[in-house]
Amino acid sequence: MSEALPAVSSMSDPHLFPALSAMVHLNHAGVAPVCGPAAEAMAKYGQEASTLPYSEASWYSDIKDLRSLTARLINARGPDEIAFVPNTSTGLATVARGLDWRRGDQVVITDVEYPANRYPWEDLGRFGVELVEVKQHADGRIDVEDVCNAITDRTRVVSLSHVQYGSGHRIDLRPISETVHRAGGYLCVDAIQSVGVLPVDVRSMGIDFLAADGHKWMLGPEGAGIFYVHEDLCEMLHPPVVGWLNMVNAQDYGNYEYRFVRDARRFEPGTWNVPGLLGLRAAIGLLLEVGIERVWERVEGLTTRVAEGAAERGYGVFSPRRLESERSGSVVIEARASEEAGALVKRLAEQKIYVALRNGRVRVSPHFYNTPEQIDRLLEAL
């Protein structure tokens, strides 16, 4: 029988978040420490995998449950729209490789995307597909109107990060999805910097495809990610990797019926990363129990504390923060004239305060379990 998910007694419980007693981890936009329940789920798998036949374990029913939990997390229509992928790159490449491209098609991205959301589209140049870049403004913003103006009747896909890794800027996806849909194209979203910390609603945002790995804001392990496909588009997208598991009669090994599963499972060609997905299940269950709205309310308070405290100490704040709708879990700050950003990040790490160096700036990304006292410790160190 599937084991129940753990209850949440406190948002800053050291049992649920062992990192609290080990360090001040403020780099959840990089690689997060796995939460306690995820670590326990993976350890339990290791114990069971070494002592039980797989037929007696609950791993596969738990992974089926993870599909439903993931659908709840992003408000998908149901588990049939969810596939499991090794990472964000695989999900984005599934769209890039799965569509039937025509010479002259265009893909709209920004000029500051994380490489995972650039190279799969740039690779399509060998098929005559053109990459159209929207420029980031000097204040770190990606203007929605600029993106919409770049969409033409040749636009097949707009692929954007919901939150930009180098600035922390969150973009409003709804008007973009409306514009690209009118043009006959699709919206693909790299959501690794938003799922798990911000409310993400694929239906209200009009998202067609979404990919995110679990090792950042979802507090899970690396190598276990999610891929969302709108139910009406599953069969249009050809699986870029064909294996045994994405066929309708996968368990009937001698029946070689070459016919893909009709839902998002068609993008799972072979054996899952079982321990990783079990860890991700525990982590997503924890986030859902806390509630994503509550998570974001807490993180917004912590990031405001970072931004205001850094500004008081003479640091520039690069992240757009005037509008709540543009804020995210990351605050990117500029080092003072007398400092070098890389040296500052190193000095903080020597005090067990972990932030990230990105594009010559310092990125601070707390999660909901971090405490105001930890933010004050960062500010004092600055």
Short mmCIF file of all heavy atoms in Angstrom, two decimals, residues 233-288:
data_model
loop_
_atom_site.label_atom_id
_atom_site.label_comp_id
_atom_site.label_asym_id
_atom_site.label_seq_id
_atom_site.Cartn_x
_atom_site.Cartn_y
_atom_site.Cartn_z
N LEU A 233 -2.83 18.39 -27.73
CA LEU A 233 -1.61 18.44 -28.53
C LEU A 233 -0.75 17.19 -28.40
O LEU A 233 0.25 17.05 -29.10
CB LEU A 233 -0.78 19.67 -28.14
CG LEU A 233 -1.49 21.01 -28.24
CD1 LEU A 233 -0.57 22.14 -27.79
CD2 LEU A 233 -1.97 21.27 -29.67
N CYS A 234 -1.12 16.29 -27.50
CA CYS A 234 -0.29 15.10 -27.25
C CYS A 234 -0.01 14.31 -28.52
O CYS A 234 1.14 13.97 -28.83
CB CYS A 234 -0.96 14.19 -26.22
SG CYS A 234 -0.73 14.71 -24.50
N GLU A 235 -1.06 14.03 -29.27
CA GLU A 235 -0.89 13.18 -30.44
C GLU A 235 -0.27 13.92 -31.62
O GLU A 235 0.23 13.29 -32.55
CB GLU A 235 -2.22 12.55 -30.82
CG GLU A 235 -2.73 11.57 -29.78
CD GLU A 235 -3.98 10.83 -30.22
OE1 GLU A 235 -3.85 9.90 -31.04
OE2 GLU A 235 -5.07 11.21 -29.75
N MET A 236 -0.30 15.24 -31.60
CA MET A 236 0.33 16.02 -32.66
C MET A 236 1.86 16.00 -32.54
O MET A 236 2.58 16.09 -33.52
CB MET A 236 -0.16 17.47 -32.59
CG MET A 236 0.44 18.39 -33.63
SD MET A 236 0.30 20.13 -33.17
CE MET A 236 1.45 20.21 -31.78
N LEU A 237 2.34 15.87 -31.29
CA LEU A 237 3.78 15.94 -31.02
C LEU A 237 4.37 14.54 -31.10
O LEU A 237 4.01 13.65 -30.32
CB LEU A 237 3.98 16.54 -29.62
CG LEU A 237 5.34 17.10 -29.27
CD1 LEU A 237 5.66 18.32 -30.12
CD2 LEU A 237 5.38 17.49 -27.78
N HIS A 238 5.30 14.34 -32.04
CA HIS A 238 5.90 13.02 -32.20
C HIS A 238 6.99 12.82 -31.17
O HIS A 238 7.85 13.69 -30.99
CB HIS A 238 6.48 12.86 -33.61
CG HIS A 238 6.87 11.45 -33.93
ND1 HIS A 238 8.07 10.90 -33.53
CD2 HIS A 238 6.21 10.47 -34.59
CE1 HIS A 238 8.13 9.64 -33.94
NE2 HIS A 238 7.01 9.36 -34.58
N PRO A 239 7.01 11.70 -30.46
CA PRO A 239 8.06 11.45 -29.47
C PRO A 239 9.45 11.44 -30.14
O PRO A 239 9.66 10.71 -31.10
CB PRO A 239 7.72 10.07 -28.91
CG PRO A 239 6.26 9.90 -29.19
CD PRO A 239 6.02 10.61 -30.48
N PRO A 240 10.38 12.24 -29.65
CA PRO A 240 11.71 12.26 -30.25
C PRO A 240 12.53 11.02 -29.94
O PRO A 240 13.49 10.71 -30.65
CB PRO A 240 12.35 13.51 -29.63
CG PRO A 240 11.64 13.71 -28.35
CD PRO A 240 10.24 13.23 -28.58
N VAL A 241 12.19 10.31 -28.86
CA VAL A 241 12.85 9.06 -28.51
C VAL A 241 11.77 7.98 -28.45
O VAL A 241 10.79 8.12 -27.72
CB VAL A 241 13.59 9.15 -27.16
CG1 VAL A 241 14.25 7.81 -26.84
CG2 VAL A 241 14.62 10.26 -27.19
N VAL A 242 11.96 6.92 -29.22
CA VAL A 242 10.98 5.84 -29.29
C VAL A 242 11.54 4.62 -28.57
O VAL A 242 12.66 4.17 -28.84
CB VAL A 242 10.64 5.48 -30.75
CG1 VAL A 242 9.67 4.31 -30.81
CG2 VAL A 242 10.06 6.70 -31.46
N GLY A 243 10.78 4.11 -27.63
CA GLY A 243 11.19 2.94 -26.87
C GLY A 243 10.01 2.04 -26.60
O GLY A 243 8.95 2.18 -27.21
N TRP A 244 10.19 1.16 -25.65
CA TRP A 244 9.12 0.20 -25.36
C TRP A 244 7.99 0.79 -24.54
O TRP A 244 6.82 0.44 -24.73
CB TRP A 244 9.69 -1.03 -24.67
CG TRP A 244 10.14 -0.77 -23.25
CD1 TRP A 244 11.32 -0.21 -22.86
CD2 TRP A 244 9.43 -1.08 -22.05
NE1 TRP A 244 11.39 -0.12 -21.49
CE2 TRP A 244 10.24 -0.66 -20.96
CE3 TRP A 244 8.19 -1.67 -21.79
CZ2 TRP A 244 9.86 -0.81 -19.64
CZ3 TRP A 244 7.81 -1.81 -20.46
CH2 TRP A 244 8.63 -1.38 -19.40
N LEU A 245 8.31 1.74 -23.64
CA LEU A 245 7.31 2.16 -22.67
C LEU A 245 6.29 3.13 -23.25
O LEU A 245 5.20 3.27 -22.70
CB LEU A 245 8.00 2.80 -21.46
CG LEU A 245 7.17 2.97 -20.19
CD1 LEU A 245 6.62 1.65 -19.70
CD2 LEU A 245 7.99 3.64 -19.10
N ASN A 246 6.64 3.81 -24.35
CA ASN A 246 5.65 4.75 -24.87
C ASN A 246 4.69 4.11 -25.88
O ASN A 246 3.97 4.79 -26.60
CB ASN A 246 6.29 6.02 -25.47
CG ASN A 246 7.49 5.75 -26.35
OD1 ASN A 246 7.71 4.64 -26.82
ND2 ASN A 246 8.28 6.78 -26.58
N MET A 247 4.64 2.78 -25.91
CA MET A 247 3.70 2.06 -26.75
C MET A 247 2.48 1.58 -25.95
O MET A 247 2.58 1.35 -24.75
CB MET A 247 4.39 0.86 -27.40
CG MET A 247 5.52 1.23 -28.34
SD MET A 247 4.92 2.19 -29.76
CE MET A 247 6.47 2.88 -30.36
N VAL A 248 1.38 1.41 -26.64
CA VAL A 248 0.11 1.10 -25.96
C VAL A 248 0.16 -0.25 -25.24
O VAL A 248 -0.46 -0.42 -24.20
CB VAL A 248 -1.07 1.12 -26.94
CG1 VAL A 248 -1.37 2.53 -27.39
CG2 VAL A 248 -0.82 0.21 -28.13
N ASN A 249 0.87 -1.21 -25.80
CA ASN A 249 0.93 -2.54 -25.19
C ASN A 249 2.30 -2.79 -24.57
O ASN A 249 2.90 -3.84 -24.76
CB ASN A 249 0.60 -3.63 -26.22
CG ASN A 249 -0.85 -3.58 -26.64
OD1 ASN A 249 -1.74 -3.57 -25.78
ND2 ASN A 249 -1.11 -3.54 -27.94
N ALA A 250 2.77 -1.81 -23.81
CA ALA A 250 4.13 -1.87 -23.28
C ALA A 250 4.36 -3.13 -22.43
O ALA A 250 5.47 -3.69 -22.44
CB ALA A 250 4.43 -0.62 -22.47
N GLN A 251 3.36 -3.56 -21.69
CA GLN A 251 3.55 -4.70 -20.80
C GLN A 251 3.33 -6.05 -21.50
O GLN A 251 3.61 -7.10 -20.92
CB GLN A 251 2.59 -4.58 -19.61
CG GLN A 251 2.74 -3.30 -18.80
CD GLN A 251 4.11 -3.17 -18.14
OE1 GLN A 251 4.71 -4.16 -17.76
NE2 GLN A 251 4.61 -1.94 -18.02
N ASP A 252 2.87 -6.01 -22.73
CA ASP A 252 2.68 -7.24 -23.51
C ASP A 252 3.88 -7.37 -24.43
O ASP A 252 3.85 -7.03 -25.61
CB ASP A 252 1.37 -7.14 -24.31
CG ASP A 252 1.02 -8.45 -25.00
OD1 ASP A 252 1.77 -9.44 -24.83
OD2 ASP A 252 0.01 -8.47 -25.72
N TYR A 253 4.98 -7.89 -23.86
CA TYR A 253 6.29 -7.77 -24.49
C TYR A 253 6.38 -8.40 -25.87
O TYR A 253 7.12 -7.93 -26.73
CB TYR A 253 7.35 -8.38 -23.58
CG TYR A 253 7.34 -7.82 -22.17
CD1 TYR A 253 7.17 -8.64 -21.07
CD2 TYR A 253 7.45 -6.45 -21.95
CE1 TYR A 253 7.13 -8.13 -19.78
CE2 TYR A 253 7.42 -5.92 -20.67
CZ TYR A 253 7.25 -6.77 -19.58
OH TYR A 253 7.21 -6.26 -18.32
N GLY A 254 5.64 -9.45 -26.13
CA GLY A 254 5.73 -10.11 -27.42
C GLY A 254 4.79 -9.56 -28.47
O GLY A 254 4.80 -10.01 -29.62
N ASN A 255 3.99 -8.57 -28.09
CA ASN A 255 3.04 -7.97 -29.02
C ASN A 255 3.65 -6.70 -29.59
O ASN A 255 3.60 -5.65 -28.97
CB ASN A 255 1.73 -7.66 -28.29
CG ASN A 255 0.68 -7.04 -29.21
OD1 ASN A 255 0.91 -6.88 -30.40
ND2 ASN A 255 -0.46 -6.70 -28.64
N TYR A 256 4.23 -6.80 -30.77
CA TYR A 256 4.96 -5.66 -31.35
C TYR A 256 4.01 -4.75 -32.12
O TYR A 256 4.10 -4.61 -33.34
CB TYR A 256 6.09 -6.15 -32.25
CG TYR A 256 7.06 -7.08 -31.56
CD1 TYR A 256 7.28 -8.37 -32.02
CD2 TYR A 256 7.74 -6.65 -30.42
CE1 TYR A 256 8.17 -9.21 -31.37
CE2 TYR A 256 8.63 -7.49 -29.76
CZ TYR A 256 8.83 -8.77 -30.24
OH TYR A 256 9.71 -9.60 -29.59
N GLU A 257 3.09 -4.15 -31.40
CA GLU A 257 2.15 -3.21 -32.02
C GLU A 257 2.73 -1.80 -31.94
O GLU A 257 2.80 -1.20 -30.85
CB GLU A 257 0.79 -3.26 -31.34
CG GLU A 257 -0.23 -2.35 -31.99
CD GLU A 257 -1.59 -2.40 -31.31
OE1 GLU A 257 -1.72 -3.14 -30.31
OE2 GLU A 257 -2.50 -1.71 -31.77
N TYR A 258 3.17 -1.29 -33.07
CA TYR A 258 3.81 0.04 -33.10
C TYR A 258 2.73 1.11 -33.07
O TYR A 258 2.27 1.61 -34.08
CB TYR A 258 4.68 0.17 -34.35
CG TYR A 258 5.43 1.48 -34.43
CD1 TYR A 258 6.59 1.68 -33.67
CD2 TYR A 258 5.00 2.52 -35.24
CE1 TYR A 258 7.27 2.88 -33.72
CE2 TYR A 258 5.68 3.72 -35.31
CZ TYR A 258 6.81 3.89 -34.55
OH TYR A 258 7.50 5.08 -34.60
N ARG A 259 2.29 1.43 -31.85
CA ARG A 259 1.24 2.43 -31.67
C ARG A 259 1.48 3.14 -30.35
O ARG A 259 1.54 2.52 -29.29
CB ARG A 259 -0.14 1.78 -31.69
CG ARG A 259 -1.30 2.76 -31.65
CD ARG A 259 -2.58 2.11 -32.19
NE ARG A 259 -2.94 0.89 -31.45
CZ ARG A 259 -3.77 0.86 -30.42
NH1 ARG A 259 -4.33 1.98 -29.97
NH2 ARG A 259 -4.06 -0.28 -29.83
N PHE A 260 1.65 4.45 -30.41
CA PHE A 260 1.98 5.22 -29.22
C PHE A 260 0.79 5.37 -28.27
O PHE A 260 -0.36 5.44 -28.72
CB PHE A 260 2.47 6.63 -29.60
CG PHE A 260 3.79 6.66 -30.30
CD1 PHE A 260 3.87 6.90 -31.66
CD2 PHE A 260 4.96 6.42 -29.60
CE1 PHE A 260 5.08 6.93 -32.31
CE2 PHE A 260 6.19 6.44 -30.23
CZ PHE A 260 6.25 6.69 -31.60
N VAL A 261 1.09 5.46 -26.98
CA VAL A 261 0.09 5.86 -26.00
C VAL A 261 -0.47 7.21 -26.43
O VAL A 261 0.26 8.06 -26.95
CB VAL A 261 0.73 5.94 -24.59
CG1 VAL A 261 -0.30 6.39 -23.56
CG2 VAL A 261 1.34 4.62 -24.21
N ARG A 262 -1.74 7.45 -26.18
CA ARG A 262 -2.38 8.67 -26.69
C ARG A 262 -2.20 9.86 -25.76
O ARG A 262 -2.44 11.00 -26.18
CB ARG A 262 -3.87 8.40 -26.92
CG ARG A 262 -4.13 7.32 -27.96
CD ARG A 262 -5.61 7.15 -28.24
NE ARG A 262 -6.17 8.34 -28.85
CZ ARG A 262 -7.46 8.44 -29.20
NH1 ARG A 262 -8.29 7.44 -28.96
NH2 ARG A 262 -7.91 9.54 -29.76
N ASP A 263 -1.80 9.65 -24.52
CA ASP A 263 -1.63 10.77 -23.61
C ASP A 263 -0.14 11.09 -23.43
O ASP A 263 0.70 10.60 -24.18
CB ASP A 263 -2.33 10.50 -22.27
CG ASP A 263 -1.81 9.24 -21.58
OD1 ASP A 263 -0.60 8.96 -21.66
OD2 ASP A 263 -2.63 8.53 -20.95
N ALA A 264 0.19 11.89 -22.41
CA ALA A 264 1.56 12.37 -22.25
C ALA A 264 2.57 11.27 -21.94
O ALA A 264 3.77 11.48 -22.09
CB ALA A 264 1.60 13.43 -21.14
N ARG A 265 2.10 10.10 -21.58
CA ARG A 265 3.03 9.00 -21.34
C ARG A 265 3.76 8.57 -22.61
O ARG A 265 4.77 7.87 -22.54
CB ARG A 265 2.29 7.80 -20.74
CG ARG A 265 1.77 8.02 -19.31
CD ARG A 265 0.93 6.84 -18.87
NE ARG A 265 -0.24 6.68 -19.72
CZ ARG A 265 -0.88 5.53 -19.90
NH1 ARG A 265 -0.44 4.43 -19.29
NH2 ARG A 265 -1.94 5.46 -20.69
N ARG A 266 3.28 9.02 -23.75
CA ARG A 266 3.96 8.71 -25.01
C ARG A 266 5.37 9.32 -25.07
O ARG A 266 6.17 8.96 -25.93
CB ARG A 266 3.11 9.18 -26.20
CG ARG A 266 3.03 10.67 -26.34
CD ARG A 266 1.88 11.11 -27.23
NE ARG A 266 2.19 11.11 -28.66
CZ ARG A 266 1.56 10.36 -29.55
NH1 ARG A 266 0.60 9.54 -29.18
NH2 ARG A 266 1.87 10.44 -30.83
N PHE A 267 5.66 10.24 -24.16
CA PHE A 267 6.97 10.89 -24.13
C PHE A 267 7.90 10.26 -23.08
O PHE A 267 8.94 10.83 -22.73
CB PHE A 267 6.81 12.38 -23.89
CG PHE A 267 5.88 13.01 -24.89
CD1 PHE A 267 4.63 13.47 -24.50
CD2 PHE A 267 6.23 13.09 -26.23
CE1 PHE A 267 3.76 14.02 -25.43
CE2 PHE A 267 5.36 13.63 -27.16
CZ PHE A 267 4.12 14.09 -26.76
N GLU A 268 7.51 9.09 -22.57
CA GLU A 268 8.34 8.33 -21.63
C GLU A 268 8.77 7.03 -22.32
O GLU A 268 8.05 6.05 -22.29
CB GLU A 268 7.55 8.03 -20.36
CG GLU A 268 7.10 9.28 -19.61
CD GLU A 268 6.15 8.97 -18.47
OE1 GLU A 268 5.85 7.77 -18.22
OE2 GLU A 268 5.67 9.92 -17.81
N PRO A 269 9.94 7.00 -22.95
CA PRO A 269 10.31 5.85 -23.79
C PRO A 269 10.81 4.63 -23.04
O PRO A 269 10.81 3.53 -23.59
CB PRO A 269 11.43 6.42 -24.67
CG PRO A 269 12.05 7.49 -23.83
CD PRO A 269 10.92 8.10 -23.05
N GLY A 270 11.24 4.81 -21.80
CA GLY A 270 11.80 3.67 -21.09
C GLY A 270 11.71 3.83 -19.59
O GLY A 270 10.97 4.68 -19.07
N THR A 271 12.46 3.01 -18.89
CA THR A 271 12.38 2.91 -17.43
C THR A 271 12.60 4.27 -16.75
O THR A 271 13.47 5.04 -17.13
CB THR A 271 13.42 1.91 -16.92
OG1 THR A 271 13.22 0.66 -17.60
CG2 THR A 271 13.29 1.70 -15.42
N TRP A 272 11.80 4.54 -15.75
CA TRP A 272 11.90 5.79 -14.99
C TRP A 272 13.13 5.81 -14.07
O TRP A 272 13.67 4.77 -13.71
CB TRP A 272 10.67 5.97 -14.09
CG TRP A 272 9.37 6.09 -14.78
CD1 TRP A 272 9.06 6.86 -15.86
CD2 TRP A 272 8.15 5.43 -14.40
NE1 TRP A 272 7.74 6.73 -16.19
CE2 TRP A 272 7.15 5.86 -15.31
CE3 TRP A 272 7.81 4.54 -13.40
CZ2 TRP A 272 5.84 5.41 -15.23
CZ3 TRP A 272 6.50 4.10 -13.32
CH2 TRP A 272 5.53 4.52 -14.23
N ASN A 273 13.47 7.02 -13.64
CA ASN A 273 14.39 7.21 -12.52
C ASN A 273 13.56 7.04 -11.25
O ASN A 273 13.06 8.00 -10.67
CB ASN A 273 15.02 8.61 -12.60
CG ASN A 273 15.77 8.99 -11.34
OD1 ASN A 273 16.06 8.16 -10.49
ND2 ASN A 273 16.09 10.27 -11.23
N VAL A 274 13.37 5.80 -10.84
CA VAL A 274 12.42 5.50 -9.76
C VAL A 274 12.78 6.21 -8.45
O VAL A 274 11.92 6.88 -7.86
CB VAL A 274 12.29 3.97 -9.56
CG1 VAL A 274 11.43 3.66 -8.33
CG2 VAL A 274 11.66 3.34 -10.80
N PRO A 275 14.01 6.11 -7.94
CA PRO A 275 14.28 6.81 -6.68
C PRO A 275 14.11 8.32 -6.79
O PRO A 275 13.62 8.97 -5.85
CB PRO A 275 15.73 6.42 -6.36
CG PRO A 275 16.31 5.97 -7.64
CD PRO A 275 15.18 5.37 -8.40
N GLY A 276 14.51 8.89 -7.93
CA GLY A 276 14.34 10.33 -8.11
C GLY A 276 12.89 10.75 -8.11
O GLY A 276 12.51 11.75 -7.49
N LEU A 277 12.04 9.98 -8.78
CA LEU A 277 10.62 10.32 -8.83
C LEU A 277 9.94 10.11 -7.48
O LEU A 277 9.03 10.86 -7.12
CB LEU A 277 9.93 9.51 -9.92
CG LEU A 277 10.34 9.85 -11.36
CD1 LEU A 277 9.61 8.96 -12.35
CD2 LEU A 277 10.08 11.33 -11.68
N LEU A 278 10.39 9.13 -6.73
CA LEU A 278 9.84 8.95 -5.38
C LEU A 278 10.22 10.14 -4.49
O LEU A 278 9.41 10.61 -3.68
CB LEU A 278 10.34 7.64 -4.78
CG LEU A 278 9.84 6.36 -5.47
CD1 LEU A 278 10.51 5.13 -4.85
CD2 LEU A 278 8.32 6.24 -5.38
N GLY A 279 11.45 10.61 -4.64
CA GLY A 279 11.85 11.80 -3.91
C GLY A 279 11.05 13.02 -4.33
O GLY A 279 10.62 13.83 -3.50
N LEU A 280 10.82 13.15 -5.65
CA LEU A 280 10.04 14.28 -6.15
C LEU A 280 8.61 14.22 -5.66
O LEU A 280 8.00 15.24 -5.32
CB LEU A 280 10.08 14.29 -7.67
CG LEU A 280 9.38 15.46 -8.37
CD1 LEU A 280 10.01 16.80 -7.96
CD2 LEU A 280 9.42 15.29 -9.88
N ARG A 281 8.04 13.03 -5.58
CA ARG A 281 6.68 12.88 -5.05
C ARG A 281 6.58 13.42 -3.63
O ARG A 281 5.63 14.15 -3.29
CB ARG A 281 6.25 11.42 -5.09
CG ARG A 281 4.92 11.15 -4.37
CD ARG A 281 4.61 9.66 -4.31
NE ARG A 281 3.39 9.41 -3.56
CZ ARG A 281 3.35 9.15 -2.25
NH1 ARG A 281 4.48 9.10 -1.55
NH2 ARG A 281 2.20 8.93 -1.65
N ALA A 282 7.54 13.05 -2.80
CA ALA A 282 7.51 13.51 -1.41
C ALA A 282 7.65 15.02 -1.34
O ALA A 282 6.99 15.70 -0.54
CB ALA A 282 8.62 12.82 -0.61
N ALA A 283 8.51 15.59 -2.20
CA ALA A 283 8.74 17.03 -2.18
C ALA A 283 7.50 17.80 -2.66
O ALA A 283 7.10 18.79 -2.03
CB ALA A 283 9.95 17.36 -3.06
N ILE A 284 6.89 17.35 -3.76
CA ILE A 284 5.70 18.03 -4.25
C ILE A 284 4.54 17.88 -3.27
O ILE A 284 3.78 18.82 -3.04
CB ILE A 284 5.32 17.49 -5.65
CG1 ILE A 284 6.34 17.96 -6.68
CG2 ILE A 284 3.91 17.96 -6.04
CD1 ILE A 284 6.07 17.47 -8.09
N GLY A 285 4.44 16.71 -2.65
CA GLY A 285 3.41 16.53 -1.63
C GLY A 285 3.55 17.53 -0.49
O GLY A 285 2.57 18.08 0.01
N LEU A 286 4.79 17.77 -0.10
CA LEU A 286 5.07 18.75 0.96
C LEU A 286 4.65 20.15 0.53
O LEU A 286 3.98 20.88 1.29
CB LEU A 286 6.56 18.70 1.30
CG LEU A 286 7.07 19.64 2.39
CD1 LEU A 286 6.44 19.31 3.72
CD2 LEU A 286 8.59 19.54 2.49
N LEU A 287 5.00 20.54 -0.69
CA LEU A 287 4.64 21.87 -1.18
C LEU A 287 3.13 22.05 -1.27
O LEU A 287 2.60 23.10 -0.91
CB LEU A 287 5.27 22.10 -2.56
CG LEU A 287 6.78 22.26 -2.60
CD1 LEU A 287 7.29 22.20 -4.04
CD2 LEU A 287 7.21 23.57 -1.94
N LEU A 288 2.45 21.02 -1.72
CA LEU A 288 0.99 21.11 -1.82
C LEU A 288 0.34 21.19 -0.45
O LEU A 288 -0.68 21.87 -0.27
CB LEU A 288 0.45 19.90 -2.59
CG LEU A 288 0.72 19.89 -4.10
CD1 LEU A 288 0.31 18.55 -4.70
CD2 LEU A 288 -0.01 21.04 -4.81
#
